[in-house]
Amino acid sequence: GDDVTTLLVVGHEPTVSATAAHLAGEGDAVHVAQVRAGLPTATSAVLETSVGWSDLGRGAARLVDVVDRLAAGEVGTVHL
């Protein structure tokens, strides 16, 4: 329902990038270009929105960040 405040979606390319690009109406031009081109392995697109889930659609979210864990050397690292 609309009471969900945080959602993590894990998936494969090109579906995840296409979904992020579809939802992103605003955001840093570099990040938007990254999701449109396709995200590399272990990369996250962080989006936020003020609309309810039932109103979520094309351009209804803001692309806040693109985080590349592989490039940062964080994949395979266990943090305790």
Side-chain angles (χ1 to χ4, degrees):
D2 282 349
D3 57 338
V4 174
T5 59
T6 303
L7 176 70
L8 172 65
V9 177
V10 178
H12 294 279
E13 285 300 306
T15 306
V16 172
S17 293
T19 301
H22 176 83
L23 294 173
E26 300 178 12
D28 179 274
V30 172
H31 292 155
V32 173
Q34 283 179 298
V35 296
R36 287 183 179 157
L39 297 174
T41 299
T43 302
S44 302
V46 181
L47 296 107
E48 59 183 30
T49 187
S50 59
V51 303
W53 292 105
S54 58
D55 296 321
L56 195 59
R58 180 180 295 278
R62 184 172 72 89
L63 183 59
V64 177
D65 201 0
V66 172
V67 182
D68 186 344
R69 300 280 185 213
L70 191 60
E74 296 178 10
V75 172
T77 303
V78 176
H79 299 278
L80 302 175

